[in-house]
Each structure stands twice: as structure tokens, then as C-alpha cells.
Amino acid sequence: MSHPPLPLEGILVLEFSQYLAGPYCGLRLADLGAEVIKIERPGSGDACRQLATKNMIVDGDSLVFHTINRNKKSFAANLKDPSDLAKVKELITRADVITHNFRPGVMEKIGLDWETVRQINPRLVYGEVSGYGKSGPWRDFPGQDLLAQSRSGLTWLNGNADNPPTPFGLAIADMICGTHLAQGILAALANKSPQGCRIEVSLLESIIDLQFELFTTYFHNGQQLPVRAKKGNAHPYLGSPYGIYETADSYLAIAMCDLQKLGRVIGCEGVKRFAKAEEFSRRTEIYEILSSCLSQKPTAAWLALLDKEDLWCADVLDYERLFKHEAFEVLHMKQTVKRDGGVAVDTTRCPIRIDRRRLFSDTAAPRIGADNAYVESLLARKPASPTETNGAKANEATLPLAGIKIVDFSQFLSGPSASLRLADLGAEVIKVEHPTRGDLCRSLYVSDTEIEGESTLFHAINRNKKSVSLDLNSPAGIEKVLRLIEGADVVMSNFRPGVMQRFGLDYETLKQRFPQLVYGQISGYGTEGPWRDKPGQDLLVQALSGLTQFTGNRDSGPVPFGVAAVDILAGAQLAQGLLACLARKNRTGQGGIVEVNMLESSLDLQFEPLTIYWQDGGQPVERSATHNAHPLVGAPYGVYQTSDGYLALAMANILQIGELIGCAPLSEYTDPKSWFAQRDAIKAILASHLKAQSTQHWLDILQPADIWCSEVLDYKGFTESEAYRVLGLEQSIHYDNKSTLHTTCCPIRLNGKVIRNKTPAPRLGQHQCLLNYL
């Protein structure tokens, strides 16, 4: 069966990025069809080649490098050599996109900054990643994942109330930031009047965006800090029964559901006495009562009872159990890439499906300079005219998706987070809602805070959209929907499989009438397999996908992320696919379908540990006994208590740290390979030593020596810092009745400007007048 071309075929990307955030963006662009050429130093190449997690090197390069640089080419060039620099500049005349994630000022020093490069190629899309933005007191600090988590308040969301700051056990800031960079680049490529532009993102702004619902609640809750539950915390702003419970033989995850019904189904009389209004304020008591009841039977027994009643629950799996399950096998999420010479690496594939096609690639990560001859042949070809812009020149102030119309049937979080980003980038988004209840997220209360009688989450995620209410069960309602779609570029939904078919609004039906339509859908677990009809809910997907085995210490049991990371990542990946297809539509007039499911998005988030697991003989994930911040990274990586707070330490030389802080016992660990194998002993020594002085005392010693470290801030400390204020990422949105919503902005900067929009989330059916023009 032949497939249409991938959306980005014919797009040339030059990647100056290294480590993780920038290359993750390049990986996704390559997955979607772009030709990505890494520009690397001769000899050493991308520094990630030697960044070995769990000390794993394959064919001379770290396994991390192999996972994130498959399907790319490598051109080795010394940018300090005028001859090589001239070749790179000649290559830029043929490129569509450049990405880099050097610290501020590096590209300017080389002469490849945006202002210089746009003179070489005015149609170029120029993407930049920084750690903390281009100004402020943190601008020159190392942009590293754990440090960004620590400074942004994120570490206070995971674990229980009596735990210290608990980082996410994966490089979440890097991956979300790379996703945002890809979104900005794809939006520029999808512009109906393509032009060169500059896309800027930072790890700090991306990690703020990940917490948008929590920041919005914090701003409207008297700036009360998020309070983790004393036991079973899975989200600091969600009440009982939300969490993970120990059963007679393992664990059970339970998401939002009616507490009274849950008590009746499992025979737990004790929880029936709690009123709905108490489900947040008395969540610890409720958790203890439920825990006592659920510990009496095995997980399978509870699943049989709860699934029958459509109460949202899931088993909690590790990798060994997940990979034996049919639900994983039907995804075909695993692929093998091979280098010349036969070295093979098992890794994950792209989680986005285009035109019903899984995006596999068996092209391994390149050796340094493996494609120099290819690049020389590319330079021999005639470049496009440097003044070509592939269309009429547009106003630089115009957002890239201006003129794009989206009809959005999605609700809750994953789908609406995708359409929020498209709206931020200029699209007109029209929500189609149920006539009486609307989007169910309107009544999904986070904490006990509401705005205009609706949840803060709804207002945070649906700003800058319009709302029409229609009954999809009536012929008249469907006819109006079809007329609405007639003028649209995109239709999207996140219902369970089969729902849109029942309404006659599935892709196969609509494409017969609207062949240029771009159609997007998110499901929980895909359209096949034993989990296809299960509720696609964030905590449940975390539990089933193995994600809960990374955060917290070895004896902590399963610990979920304290924010809906899977929902947000799935929405971000849907936005990427839709933008890529809009870019293809501009060039070819061809529509298409983009499919994402939350399970595959969760596995994509784990691409690094999954690849290591497959190469490491299926060894289980083992968190460190203490101060765990990533189970695959050795000491000193973690968060440590000081005399007055906490200090985050990223990857660093143990001997150097020991000498700087005067900790003699560290001098015994002379073999760098021991820093993983002996991480518990090293971390215990560090923890004891660092308690003796204040956080600032240690920062004053370590930062001048370029040791990657940071203070650990909560929301109050972070939002009061100058580094937060200079971002300008907070905005106030005003309602007709004089109410005000304080929330975050889009984390993507376009041509140096923060993207703002003052339009609040719509009232149900507020834009019903739109139907009068159909």
C-alpha cells in the first residue's frame, strides 16, 4: 500500500543543537519527513555522544545519543575555520530551518546569529533554545533539566507532604521544551504566507507551561502554595479518590470518580460519610479508609469490579509486565535501528501517526562527519534564490496561523491543550460543546477554586477560543456542524474510539466531502487492542505505561507525576502533527489525518529508559535508595537538604565537588564509572556534608566553578524572583463582568515577542451567532 508523502518531505533542517532539548525537536522533525543534518565539531561531535546514562556506550557513542539522533545526518565542521564556516553558510542558503541550543551569545560570536543569518537566507525559520531566556539573572546559568525543575517549583508537586522536593524522574523539561520548539517551527512552516522568522523557547518557560493549570490555580487561590496530600499524593490540587493504592498483591490507580459510588461498589462504608465538598480538604482521611479496604483483595479482583461500573481505574505496571501485555504489542511501538557494521539498537518510534501510517525509521544515529561527502554534493547544487519566500511577504506582526480555522470537539485536557497552542499561534478555534453541560472540564474542579462558576483548569486551557453549543444527536445539529466544517482547515476530537463514527463525523466520512481537511484525534490507547475502550486519563496511563517507577526513592512504591504530563505531551504531539500536515497542505493542497494516543505519548516520554531497558537485557528500573532524581543517572544527580533549604546538583565531577566543598571522603571515588554503581554511598556522604551550610553558601562556591547546581524554589520564591519577572510570561485576562483571570502565556516567542491574547475562555454557546452565517 502506497502512502502520501510525509508532511515535511523536502524540508532541510540544520541542527547545531546538542544534548537533549534541541535534538529532541530535530528528531521529531525528522520523524515527520524532514532531512536533518547535524553540524558537529570534528573529533568530539555533539557532547551528548559521551553523556552515558547507566554507563552505557554502544559503538563508541552513548545510548542516549543513539535514541535521540536516529534518522539524521552528520556534517563535521570547525566553525572557527573560515573555510568550514563558509561551507556552513553556503549550506544555510539551501536550508529551511536552523536550530541551536547554545548559551546566549555563542552564535553571535560565531557569526551565525539570527540577524546575520537572515541576510544569507531571508526565508529561513530560525529556532533557538536557551535555559532561562535572553535576560535576567539566570541567563548564563546552565540550561539543565533538573535545575530548571528545581527553580520553577515543579519539585514540590511530586511525592507526599512530608517528602522533600521530589524531581520528576525523567528529563521532562528538556522534552517539553523540544516539543515547544518543534511547535513554533512547524507553525512557521504552516503559515499560509511563508516567511522567515525567529522562534525562541527556554527550558524555564516550557516547564512553567507544563504547570499552567497549577499556576493559574495558585494565582486565584490567594497564592496558597500547592499542598501535597499526606499520603497517596498524585496531584496536589485534586481530591480523593485520585491516587495509587496498595492492594493485596500489587497496586491500583484510581482516577476522578464519584466517591459514593466507589464506596458502594467496593463495599467500603467508611467513605460514604464524606460529602463531595470534603473530597479535597479531607483527602488524607479518605485515602487511609480506602487503603485499608483495597488492601484486602488483589488488584485483578478490584479491576473486575470497577471496570464493570465504568469507574476509572488501572493496574500499575512495570516494564516487564507491560511488554508482555497484548495492549503494548498491538502498538508496534518498538523498532530496531542499525548502524553500518551491524550494530543494532532497539528503541521507540515516533508516537504520531500520519495518514494512518506509523512512522518507523531504521536509520541509526550517524557517526561524526559520516555525511560530509553528501553535504559536499548538496553544496554543488544550485540553491534557491536568497530572496525567495515561497509566497507573498507577510507582516512580521501577523501570527503564523492567522487565517487557520479549527473546529474542536475535544474536552478535558489533552485535546484542548493542543487547540490552545494553535490558538496562541493565531488560529481561530471554535469549540463545539454539548448544549447543557458543555465541555466536561467546565465542572472538573482543581482544588476548591473556581472562576465564573467553572474550574480554573477550564479557563486556563480554553482562553482565546469560541464556543457554539450543538446537539450532535439531532440531524439539525449535525447539518450545522457540517456547514461549520465546510469553512475549516482542521477538525479535532479526543472522544473514545467509535464516537465520531456514530455521529458521521469520522475522518473517512468527512474526507469524502472535504478532501483538503486536516483531521486530528487523540485516544487513550489507540484504536485496537484490549485497552482501546478504557478511559484515556492521565494517572491511569502513567500507571499502565511504567511511568510511575521513576520518581521518588527506591522504597517509595509507584510515584506518579504530580501534574498531568501525559495529557499535555499528547496534546503537544497532536499539535505537531496537525501543524506538519498544514505545512504539507500549503505545498500540495493535500489533507490528512493525524492520530496520537496517550499511551504512545507516555512511551515516547520514556524513550531513553526504554532503549536502555531493551539493550540492558531487561534489567528492571532501579531508583537510587536516596535523593533519586533520575534512576539512570549516577551521583551526584539529586536534590539535597542544606541548613536552610535545598540544593539541586546535576551531572558533575565527584572529585571536583569534593575538593570545592571540602568533603574528603569523596576523594575515594576516583573511577567515574563508580559514580553510578556507588551512587547511594556517594549521595549519603554528600547529604550529610551539605546540611552543615546554607544553600547560598554552597552556590557561592559551586557556581563560579561552573558546577551545575541551583537553589530549589517553591511557587512563592519563584514568582517573586527577578528571573521570573523578566520572562513576562504571566498575563491578566478580563471578563465582561469585570472578573480577571491571571494565567500564563504561550512559552514560544515569535520574532522576539511573547505571544499574548486577552480573550478569556468562552461562556457555553457564547458564539452561537457564528451559526447564523452558515
Side-chain angles (χ1 to χ4, degrees), residues 521-570:
Q521 61 185 40
I522 294 179
S523 63
Y525 308 92
T527 57
E528 54 194 345
W531 294 347
R532 74 182 294 273
D533 295 318
K534 280 184 172 291
Q537 193 281 328
D538 190 277
L539 174 64
L540 307 187
V541 177
Q542 288 194 47
L544 290 168
S545 68
L547 202 56
T548 60
Q549 62 187 330
F550 292 95
T551 300
N553 294 328
R554 187 179 301 155
D555 60 356
S556 300
V559 178
F561 287 179
V563 66
V566 179
D567 268 314
I568 294 169
L569 186 60

Side-chain angles (χ1 to χ4, degrees), residues 161-179:
D162 59 351
N163 293 147
T166 304
F168 280 38
L170 291 172
I172 186 72
D174 274 310
M175 295 185 68
I176 291 293
C177 186
T179 296

Side-chain angles (χ1 to χ4, degrees), residues 139-197:
R139 77 181 289 273
D140 294 317
F141 284 178
Q144 195 280 328
D145 190 277
L146 175 61
L147 308 187
Q149 288 194 47
S150 299
R151 289 187 169 110
S152 69
L154 191 70
T155 60
W156 292 100
L157 306 182
N158 307 312
N160 296 327
D162 59 351
N163 293 147
T166 304
F168 280 38
L170 291 172
I172 186 72
D174 274 310
M175 295 185 68
I176 291 293
C177 186
T179 296
H180 289 155
L181 182 63
Q183 288 176 339
I185 289 168
L186 289 165
L189 295 174
N191 194 325
K192 289 185 174 181
S193 301
Q195 58 175 322
C197 68

Side-chain angles (χ1 to χ4, degrees), residues 621-642:
V621 174
E622 187 172 347
R623 294 170 284 185
S624 54
T626 182
H627 299 87
N628 177 67
H630 193 306
L632 302 175
V633 179
Y637 204 80
V639 170
Y640 299 84
Q641 190 171 6
T642 65

Side-chain angles (χ1 to χ4, degrees), residues 452-512:
E452 298 273 299
E454 294 168 325
S455 76
T456 53
L457 173 56
F458 176 82
H459 284 272
I461 206 166
N462 288 291
R463 57 181 170 78
N464 197 21
K465 301 178 187 177
K466 297 179 171 68
S467 169
V468 298
S469 58
L470 289 169
D471 182 2
L472 300 184
N473 289 306
S474 74
I478 291 297
E479 180 56 34
K480 287 185 177 179
V481 162
L482 290 172
R483 287 159 62 190
L484 193 63
I485 292 172
E486 188 171 358
D489 299 277
V490 175
V491 166
M492 53 182 290
S493 75
N494 64 348
F495 295 122
R496 293 192 196 186
V499 173
M500 291 296 273
Q501 286 89 334
R502 191 168 73 241
F503 295 136
L505 297 174
D506 58 293
Y507 175 65
E508 299 300 333
T509 301
L510 290 181
K511 78 172 183 178
Q512 302 303 317

Side-chain angles (χ1 to χ4, degrees), residues 243-256:
I244 291 179
Y245 300 81
E246 192 166 3
T247 66
D249 65 344
S250 57
Y251 294 90
L252 175 73
I254 302 178
M256 298 85 65

